Amino acid sequence: MNSNSAASRTTRAPVHPAAAAVGRAWPITWRTSLGLIAALTSCTPAGDERQPGTPPVDGTTSSASDRGAGLPCTPSVTALPAIPGGYRLVGKDVAVPEDTVLAVEDSGEADRAARLFAKWGLVVRAGAVVDLQVAPDWESRARIGWGTARTPAATTTVRACPPNDEQSGWMAFVGGTWVAQAACVPLVVRSNGQENRVNLGIGVACDEPRR
C-alpha cells in the first residue's frame, strides 16, 4: 500500500446540500410545523401548566407583564405564520383538524371517561386566550387538554403568547381528546366574548353510530 492510495481513502466527502440546509431551516414553514405536531408523543406527565416560570416549548417569552393577566402562556409546539393546511377555523381564534375521523388509541388513564385518546394539535391565534369545554351533556364521556403538562379535563384554557414577529401569527399546542368510547364529540369554544361549537369525530365519523 503506498501513501497516495491511503490518502485517497481518507479524503473528506463533500457535505450533502440537504444536510447543509438544516442549519438554514428557520423560519419553520407550516408544513414542517404540522409534521412536528403529528410526531409528538401523546403521553406526558400530568401537572399544572399555569405554574409561573414554565416557558413555552418554542422559546417564546412567558411572563405576566406580556399577558397583563398574571398568568403565563400555555407551552406551545411552535409558531406558525398562518393556519396550516388540513385545518379549519372555529370562530376567529381557533383552528382544528378537518379530518373526518381522528384515530384513537388506549390512553392508560384510570378515568373511564378518558379510556381512549385521539392526539391532535390545537392551533390558536397568537395573543388570544381561549376557553374550551366538552359540551355539557358530554362531561361524563369525554375530556380535553393541550400543553406539555396537560391533564384530561372537561374544560381547559389555552393562553397563546402574543406575536413577536411576522412568523408568529398562530401558535400550535400538543394535546387532544379523550373519550370513553369512539364518538362524535361536541366542543364549545369561547374567545373574545364569542361562543362557537364544533363536532369532532373521535375514532368514528360524526355521521356514523358510536362503537
Side-chain angles (χ1 to χ4, degrees), residues 65-134:
S65 60
D66 287 339
R67 297 296 297 122
L71 291 169
C73 305
T74 301
S76 58
V77 179
T78 189
L80 306 171
I83 297 171
Y87 271 64
R88 53 182 164 137
L89 267 175
V90 179
K92 296 181 178 179
D93 296 328
V94 175
V96 301
E98 292 179 341
D99 295 348
T100 303
V101 179
L102 298 170
V104 296
E105 59 185 20
D106 290 336
S107 68
E109 296 285 343
D111 184 354
R112 294 184 63 183
R115 184 177 64 88
L116 301 174
F117 178 66
K119 178 178 65 178
W120 56 277
L122 182 73
V123 177
V124 178
R125 188 184 299 276
V129 177
V130 178
D131 294 314
L132 300 105
Q133 173 187 358
V134 176

Side-chain angles (χ1 to χ4, degrees), residues 96-180:
V96 301
E98 292 179 341
D99 295 348
T100 303
V101 179
L102 298 170
V104 296
E105 59 185 20
D106 290 336
S107 68
E109 296 285 343
D111 184 354
R112 294 184 63 183
R115 184 177 64 88
L116 301 174
F117 178 66
K119 178 178 65 178
W120 56 277
L122 182 73
V123 177
V124 178
R125 188 184 299 276
V129 177
V130 178
D131 294 314
L132 300 105
Q133 173 187 358
V134 176
D137 292 343
W138 284 79
E139 291 177 342
S140 64
R141 293 176 281 174
R143 301 283 184 265
I144 52 177
W146 290 272
T148 55
R150 65 190 180 275
T151 300
T155 63
T156 190
T157 298
V158 175
R159 296 174 174 85
C161 284
N164 55 12
D165 55 43
E166 66 277 5
Q167 296 295 326
S168 303
W170 296 82
M171 310 298 287
F173 301 86
V174 66
T177 304
W178 292 259
V179 290

